[in-house]
Amino acid sequence: EDQIPPKLSFKDGLALDASENGDGLVTISTPTFSSIVDAQSYLTSILVAEDDCMVDLPLSVMPPNLGASCQSTIFEVTATSSQCPDQSVTRQYQMTVDTDVPVVTAGFDLGQTHVNDFSSVDEGVYLGIASSNATDYEYVGFSYTVTDDCPQTLQTRLRVSSNEFEYDSSRAGDSMVLIRDTMDPRQSHSLMVFVEPGQCGVISDRLCVRNSNVGFRYYQFDVEATDLAGNAGSATAYVVIVPEAEDLPASRDSVGALDLDYFVSSMTPETSPASNVIQTKDMLWDTTREDPPDVPGVSVSVVETVSAEMTISGITVPESQEELDAL
């Protein structure tokens, strides 16, 4: 006769990050699971039930009635002796189950002084910047956000690619794109990003490769966030370097205005893919932090210093102070 109830325990030889509180609740801190089914299967694989008559008793793993609750997802495990059905044991195990994909946004904000001709595009995020040789870089006002229902720190990556590749040996590490960390208290503004507002064919002494003949350069900003369960969310935004009308007549409509559809329809993997990865940046996003309110934006200007000599003829310079004062 079986008079000793079964006992639930972890299988021998397993290294588990687990603890038990005074109420008998066992918390398994890692790993994190992306579904209830995966967590159930894991519990079944690491637990063993036995009594004085039998070993490896069958287990019943019941999921929570309300589904996944992040770090507070509690499963109820019951082991019952097949020889004595009245002899059973039930324990609760708390695990982290995150079934939601992180929601990522990406965009650009240069303030009210910048007129973004691409703001009227219905689908997608686009920033238009005029092509220029007067400055090395243009600030794009990049920012991003990540939202996830579970409190955690997510691995986040920014990848900037382009349909062109340009190499400048004088600043090889920062060719085309410049990314710098900031001390901004807002996570969304933790990076400053600058891009070169040029295109292949304008500066002939640099190595520059085009993926197509669409006639303009664009930058693709891909932001991806991955949570502890492996769920990944992403967002994409674009910076378009807009050439002068005479350099690309096809980009203007019949009245000389920008033909936005020409640009947007050209920025596809089939027509002109952004297959050249220019820069990547790994970051962390803490879902428990919120950006502080009423934080003023950052104003950035890029100034290029130009040195020149000027020769003037036909002017007689006074030789004495008296003559200079009289002049």
Side-chain angles (χ1 to χ4, degrees):
E1 182 179 356
D2 189 354
Q3 296 183 348
I4 300 176
K7 180 180 69 172
L8 275 170
S9 61
F10 294 122
K11 291 181 178 179
D12 293 336
L14 296 179
L16 298 172
D17 183 8
S19 60
E20 182 178 350
N21 66 10
D23 297 326
L25 176 65
V26 178
T27 298
I28 302 175
S29 301
T30 57
T32 298
F33 300 91
S34 60
S35 71
I36 291 289
V37 173
D38 288 346
Q40 282 180 291
S41 299
Y42 179 76
L43 267 180
T44 303
S45 70
I46 64 173
L47 291 175
V48 63
E50 56 187 359
D51 61 11
D52 58 333
C53 295
M54 295 184 61
V55 296
D56 200 16
L57 300 176
L59 301 177
S60 172
V61 181
M62 295 296 296
N65 293 330
L66 298 179
S69 302
C70 297
Q71 286 88 344
S72 301
T73 307
I74 298 177
F75 296 83
E76 192 170 86
V77 180
T78 300
T80 303
S81 172
S82 59
Q83 296 181 351
C84 300
D86 59 331
Q87 295 288 352
S88 64
V89 62
T90 298
R91 299 197 67 178
Q92 289 186 324
Y93 295 85
Q94 181 172 263
M95 306 168 70
T96 302
V97 181
D98 184 357
T99 60
D100 295 325
V101 172
V103 178
V104 184
T105 67
F108 310 100
D109 184 7
L110 292 176
Q112 297 180 353
T113 59
H114 178 81
V115 178
N116 181 19
D117 294 314
F118 288 81
S119 60
S120 60
V121 177
D122 293 332
E123 296 184 4
V125 178
Y126 298 85
L127 171 67
I129 293 179
S131 178
S132 173
N133 295 324
T135 181
D136 289 337
Y137 292 105
E138 284 283 353
Y139 176 64
V140 298
F142 169 77
S143 65
Y144 75 102
T145 64
V146 181
T147 304
D148 193 278
D149 291 336
C150 294
Q152 59 185 302
T153 300
L154 290 83
Q155 299 289 332
T156 310
R157 168 169 289 190
L158 167 64
R159 183 184 66 212
V160 184
S161 55
S162 177
N163 63 329
E164 296 186 348
F165 173 73
E166 183 176 345
Y167 179 78
D168 183 356
S169 60
S170 65
R171 45 193 170 94
D174 294 321
S175 289
M176 297 182 66
V177 175
L178 182 64
I179 301 177
R180 291 295 182 266
D181 295 309
T182 75
M183 296 294 289
D184 197 306
R186 299 168 296 178
Q187 288 190 97
S188 57
H189 292 70
S190 60
L191 298 177
M192 278 202 307
V193 183
F194 303 79
V195 302
E196 287 188 352
Q199 63 187 73
C200 287
V202 176
I203 301 177
S204 59
D205 60 345
R206 294 182 184 175
L207 171 64
C208 202
V209 179
R210 288 173 171 166
N211 283 355
S212 66
N213 292 319
V214 295
F216 67 95
R217 174 186 295 180
Y218 74 91
Y219 297 90
Q220 181 172 312
F221 286 61
D222 293 301
V223 183
E224 184 177 74
T226 305
D227 63 24
L228 296 177
N231 302 310
S234 63
T236 301
Y238 303 90
V239 174
V240 184
I241 307 303
V242 182
E244 295 291 339
E246 57 267 25
D247 295 329
L248 189 60
S251 65
R252 266 63 174 183
D253 60 19
S254 58
V255 296
L258 282 179
D259 184 354
L260 301 183
D261 184 63
Y262 173 83
F263 291 96
V264 174
S265 62
S266 299
M267 296 162 57
T268 64
E270 297 76 22
T271 306
S272 185
S275 56
N276 303 301
V277 178
I278 310 302
Q279 289 262 23
T280 59
K281 178 71 174 180
D282 292 324
M283 304 90 68
L284 297 175
W285 183 276
D286 185 353
T287 62
T288 64
R289 285 180 52 192
E290 293 185 2
D291 280 357
D294 302 323
V295 174
V298 179
S299 176
V300 178
S301 61
V302 181
V303 179
E304 183 177 31
T305 302
V306 179
S307 298
E309 292 184 357
M310 180 179 293
T311 303
I312 301 176
S313 60
I315 297 178
T316 302
V317 179
E319 297 181 355
S320 66
Q321 185 63 42
E322 290 80 6
E323 293 176 342
L324 184 60
D325 293 340
L327 182 62

